[in-house]
Amino acid sequence: MPELPEVETTRRGIEPYILKQLISHITVRNPNLRWPVPDNISQLVAGQKVHQVERRAKYLILKMDKGSLLIHLGMSGNLRILEKDSAAGKHDHVDIHLENGKLLRFNDTRRFGAILWTADAVEQHPLIQHLGPEPLSLTFTADDLFNKAKGRSVPIKPFIMNADIVVGVGNIYANEALFLAGIHPETISGKLSKVRIGKLVEAIKQVLAKAIEAGGTTLRDFRKTDGQPGYFAQELNVYGRENQACIHCQTPIKSFRQAQRASYYCPHCQKK
DNA sequence: ACATTGACCTGGGAGC
DNA sequence: TGCTCCCAGGTCAATG
């Protein structure tokens, strides 16, 4: 479900309800997520206050008194704020109870998500430590991406989806950014000029920023924490638009499988 | 070090 | 209706 804009939308949705609140306890109905939810998670977290609600890549980080709670939504995860006695459905795996009577509920059909605790600085955590720059930060530049692409033979699409290179760019926004930059998804990363890499960097920033503004992209099950869909789906130019006319030249959008993911592009506007 | 593929899991839709 | 197959927003681990 979520790429960076959807995770950021979720962060903004939950922050007002959990910031400066005390967590009373955590209920785990099914600990079998991508990694097991620690069986003592409730003892680890109970009684602590939430000091900050951050996002790093697609991780949500709740900074507490004695450490941080790391939450990843995987492909199908979502978080909702509910009243404490709300009935739990089939895929409502974890409830984080607040002392104010609300609860933060983690729902994840496919269970690719994760809820983990770390007592150390999150930057040192093995899942965080290797991550590349935030795409919307000043550290993500044409120079940075160009230097990383040097000598690399991977096609540009899987390259920008690699979180070691830059974080937060999933399948939807990789397709969209490449369209905006006029770059064919199969272009060899190391063969792109600095100018074209610069266009790509700007396209990634633009598409992610606009998607956050729109509250993310709702395709199937993504919902903001208030239950409303995100509205970026109507601004998609290529993703999911196979055989439909390109908005610039009317050429039918093409689709193919690349690194086991669906890629979409305009054969006229996007060159290798 | 880098590139590629498989694996995890559930549900929805297409086709027969 | 029901079965089988393919697909889905992520990303780590294993393999060359």
Side-chain angles (χ1 to χ4, degrees):
Chain A
M1 175 248 283
E3 299 185 37
L4 186 149
E6 291 72 41
V7 179
E8 179 60 24
T9 297
T10 299
R11 192 198 68 75
R12 294 178 184 188
I14 64 174
E15 184 177 38
Y17 296 93
I18 65 173
L19 191 61
K20 306 229 159 82
Q21 297 299 317
L22 282 165
I23 292 180
S24 62
H25 63 289
I26 296 181
T27 309
V28 180
R29 293 185 198 79
N30 185 352
N32 303 120
L33 306 183
R34 166 112 202 215
W35 294 280
V37 179
D39 54 14
N40 59 343
I41 189 90
S42 193
Q43 292 110 285
L44 285 169
V45 176
Q48 294 182 56
K49 188 189 269 192
V50 179
H51 292 293
Q52 287 178 80
V53 182
E54 299 180 345
R55 179 191 55 73
R56 172 76 174 104
K58 295 170 191 165
Y59 291 90
L60 289 165
I61 299 167
L62 276 50
K63 291 204 167 158
M64 322 265 316
D65 297 317
K66 301 174 185 170
S68 299
L69 210 46
L70 297 184
I71 303 176
H72 198 289
L73 300 177
M75 286 279 261
S76 55
N78 65 80
L79 289 168
R80 299 285 298 279
I81 299 285
L82 297 164
E83 298 303 322
K84 66 175 176 191
D85 294 323
S86 306
K90 192 172 179 187
H91 303 292
D92 293 332
H93 305 309
V94 178
D95 286 348
I96 299 172
H97 292 262
L98 305 173
E99 281 197 351
N100 65 10
K102 305 247 186 220
L103 65 82
L104 180 64
R105 175 165 286 168
F106 177 84
N107 172 287
D108 185 4
T109 306
R110 294 175 71 183
R111 287 189 276 117
F112 289 172
I115 298 183
L116 298 167
W117 171 257
T118 177
D120 303 321
V122 278
E123 300 77 30
Q124 314 301 323
H125 192 278
L127 293 171
I128 305 290
Q129 190 265 335
H130 65 93
L131 294 173
E134 285 290 325
L136 294 175
S137 76
L138 297 174
T139 58
F140 182 55
T141 61
D143 280 343
D144 171 63
L145 194 62
F146 183 73
N147 288 333
K148 284 175 178 162
K150 254 178 217 164
R152 301 286 296 257
S153 63
V154 246
I156 190 65
K157 182 167 174 257
F159 185 69
I160 58 172
M161 291 178 69
N162 178 350
D164 292 349
I165 304 303
V166 55
V167 303
V169 184
N171 199 36
I172 295 177
Y173 302 113
N175 280 298
E176 294 299 315
L178 288 166
F179 173 76
L180 292 180
I183 298 171
H184 191 293
E186 284 180 304
T187 314
I188 300 305
S189 306
K191 297 210 160 169
L192 280 161
S193 69
K194 200 180 215 177
V195 168
R196 297 186 81 202
I197 287 277
K199 284 185 181 169
L200 179 54
V201 166
E202 291 313 307
I204 289 170
K205 289 177 188 283
Q206 191 193 1
V207 71
L208 294 178
K210 286 201 168 179
I212 291 170
E213 273 179 48
T217 299
T218 296
L219 293 181
R220 278 163 281 275
D221 49 4
F222 173 70
R223 285 292 180 281
K224 301 200 283 177
T225 45
D226 59 6
Q228 295 295 114
Y231 293 107
F232 196 73
Q234 57 205 60
E235 297 180 48
L236 297 177
N237 292 314
V238 288
Y239 184 87
R241 296 193 67 242
E242 183 175 16
N243 296 329
Q244 296 180 43
C246 170
I247 58 155
H248 291 145
C249 71
Q250 324 311 319
T251 303
I253 299 301
K254 283 200 171 181
S255 172
F256 69 107
R257 274 195 97 67
Q258 181 179 26
Q260 340 209 61
R261 313 301 296 269
S263 290
Y264 301 86
Y265 69 103
C266 170
H268 179 260
C269 297
Q270 294 174 256
K271 304 296 188 195
K272 286 188 185 173

